[in-house]
Amino acid sequence: MYVLALKKDGAIFHKQRAVDSDVLKYLSYQIGLDDQYTLRSFFKMIAKYALLGRLNSYLPTCIEQYLSCPEQGCESGLIDHLEFAKHIEMIGFPEKRLEIYSSIRGIRNGDSLEIRSLQLNSLLDMPLKLGRLKHVVFGDRVDIFEFDTVFTLFEFIDGITWELGFLVTPEQCEL
């Protein structure tokens, strides 16, 4: 699988060369994030590659929220970094089914925390890292199996956009 490097400034690199505006052909490529990658880097990437902004119908709303945030200092003292991860859940009652989804969680001292009570303006400058695949069998959250995995550019964009769509808590209600 081909690997893309997502840079802090929003640039996408393939084989040490910047990707041009014809970015759609790279959607199925595996990604890796710069050490200093943040949610703000994600929005810079969307701005730099305009076609990516059309991949998800929730993205324009996320971009509006991003544009209303300060240009720096958007950090939360509640978490150390953000983690983007995959989940597979086998559900067996009342009907058998398999759910596959992505999530963004806050990580503090190695513990995973929900971020839905936070505003985008407290998350934009938090480091963002790729996590592992978590496999839950028949709802047993005691024994969650974790595996190394890969993420594609499309999964990353769609997953982050989906999760950010839930960050609509009014600022007055932020915990």
Side-chain angles (χ1 to χ4, degrees), residues 5 7-8 11 15 22 39 60 73 86 100 102 115 169-170 173:
K7 302 295 186 178
K8 182 180 179 174
K15 296 181 179 179
D22 187 21
L39 264 180
K86 281 186 190 177
I100 302 171
S102 301
I115 62 165
T169 306
C173 298

Side-chain angles (χ1 to χ4, degrees), residues 30-43:
Q30 177 183 343
I31 61 164
L33 305 180
D34 258 1
D35 289 338
Q36 301 300 315
Y37 200 87
T38 63
L39 264 180
R40 187 177 304 277
S41 305
F42 171 80
F43 284 104

Side-chain angles (χ1 to χ4, degrees), residues 76-157:
S76 167
L78 301 174
I79 57 176
D80 300 325
H81 69 273
L82 297 168
E83 182 180 83
F84 183 74
K86 281 186 190 177
H87 301 267
I88 296 178
E89 290 195 34
M90 293 173 60
I91 301 165
F93 184 81
E95 294 180 32
K96 294 179 183 91
R97 70 180 195 272
L98 182 71
E99 293 184 3
I100 302 171
Y101 59 93
S102 301
S103 70
I104 300 176
R105 305 279 296 179
I107 305 296
R108 172 111 177 150
N109 297 326
D111 294 326
S112 178
L113 305 169
E114 188 69 49
I115 62 165
R116 291 186 180 166
S117 63
L118 300 172
Q119 297 291 311
L120 186 60
N121 64 11
S122 63
L123 298 173
L124 275 177
D125 295 318
M126 300 300 302
L128 177 60
K129 299 179 181 183
L130 297 177
R132 301 180 81 196
L133 181 141
K134 293 167 180 60
H135 184 199
V136 179
V137 181
F138 299 120
D140 184 7
R141 295 192 178 273
V142 175
D143 292 321
I144 296 177
F145 302 101
E146 291 192 27
F147 303 92
D148 290 333
T149 190
V150 297
F151 297 90
T152 65
L153 180 59
F154 178 78
E155 288 174 319
F156 185 66
I157 294 167

Side-chain angles (χ1 to χ4, degrees), residues 51-71:
L51 283 175
L52 296 179
R54 298 174 58 193
L55 289 178
N56 187 301
S57 59
Y58 297 117
L59 201 44
T61 303
C62 294
I63 293 169
E64 282 180 34
Q65 287 181 344
Y66 162 71
L67 293 174
S68 69
C69 291
E71 292 184 21

